[in-house]
Amino acid sequence: MSVKVKSNEKINLKISNKQFEIILKICLIIGIIIISGFIFYYIFTPEPGYVTFGILNENQKAEDYPTEAPVNDSVSFYVTVDNYLNKEFTFRIKIKKGDSNTVLSTVFGTNGTLHSIIGNFTLKNNENWISEKLNVSFSEVGENQIIFTELWQITSDVEEKFYNILWLRLNITA
């Protein structure tokens, strides 16, 4: 009787091993298919585009920004926009002034005082734009005075969407 039990155990063990092998093969095939899908997706999905937005000093360099200015003296700078969206990008720039009480948001801009609007421009993919020299001055002494530059995407004839914001903080002296 013990020989018969051992032979049944061997048969059950062989069946169990076969089932395990089948399950293992199915799991490996599914894993290979999933990994291949991720690889194909990564290879054939283009990278999302982007727009760069910057402030340049009065020498058109991205360094050595002014931190102090006398009252009623102009702070000069340039604004730059580069389009890498793989499509056209239409925009306008709003220059605003503020202080430490100005509400700053990276979602909807600021509530600063509007200084100027630089008109509608359209850039094709891989094109860039640099503003003419911009000058902003402050009429009162104060610390933490701010020049805001807001990039607004124009989406239709009557609609614009906040895109990005940059700022310069200044101490205005007598």
Side-chain angles (χ1 to χ4, degrees):
M1 184 146 172
S2 70
V3 174
K4 197 172 191 181
V5 170
K6 285 186 182 180
S7 116
N8 281 344
E9 285 179 7
K10 284 184 182 181
I11 292 171
N12 287 340
L13 188 59
K14 284 183 182 181
I15 292 172
S16 180
N17 283 342
K18 288 264 188 208
Q19 290 174 341
F20 177 74
E21 287 177 14
I22 291 170
I23 292 172
L24 183 62
K25 286 178 185 177
I26 291 171
C27 288
L28 288 173
I29 290 170
I30 290 172
I32 290 169
I33 290 170
I34 290 172
I35 297 296
S36 298
F38 281 119
I39 291 170
F40 282 119
Y41 176 80
Y42 179 76
I43 290 172
F44 293 113
T45 302
E47 299 236 356
Y50 59 95
V51 170
T52 62
F53 178 46
I55 297 177
L56 303 175
N57 66 17
E58 65 181 327
N59 298 321
Q60 293 191 359
K61 297 191 187 281
E63 59 186 27
D64 299 325
Y65 298 103
T67 58
E68 290 191 4
V71 170
N72 295 323
D73 222 16
S74 290
V75 175
S76 300
F77 61 97
Y78 296 85
V79 176
T80 136
V81 178
D82 299 332
N83 177 17
Y84 301 102
L85 286 174
N86 301 319
K87 63 180 181 178
E88 285 187 346
F89 180 70
T90 303
F91 66 95
R92 76 173 42 113
I93 304 290
K94 294 182 181 179
I95 307 296
K96 295 182 178 179
K97 297 189 317 184
D99 57 25
S100 58
N101 296 322
T102 304
V103 176
L104 171 66
S105 169
T106 57
V107 177
F108 57 83
T110 73
N111 66 343
T113 306
L114 183 64
H115 178 272
S116 59
I117 296 176
I118 303 171
N120 303 348
F121 298 98
T122 299
L123 294 178
K124 294 179 181 168
N125 188 43
N126 290 325
E127 281 188 334
N128 60 21
W129 171 85
I130 297 178
S131 70
E132 300 208 4
K133 188 184 236 182
L134 302 169
N135 297 301
V136 176
S137 62
F138 290 86
S139 59
E140 294 180 16
V141 173
E143 291 185 7
N144 203 19
Q145 303 296 307
I146 307 169
I147 300 172
F148 297 101
T149 58
E150 297 177 349
L151 176 62
W152 290 79
Q153 180 180 14
I154 300 171
T155 54
S156 71
D157 289 340
V158 293
E159 191 174 319
E160 63 183 7
K161 180 178 98 177
F162 177 77
Y163 201 86
N164 203 348
I165 188 169
L166 297 171
W167 59 89
L168 295 173
R169 290 188 188 272
L170 303 162
N171 291 327
I172 305 302
T173 58

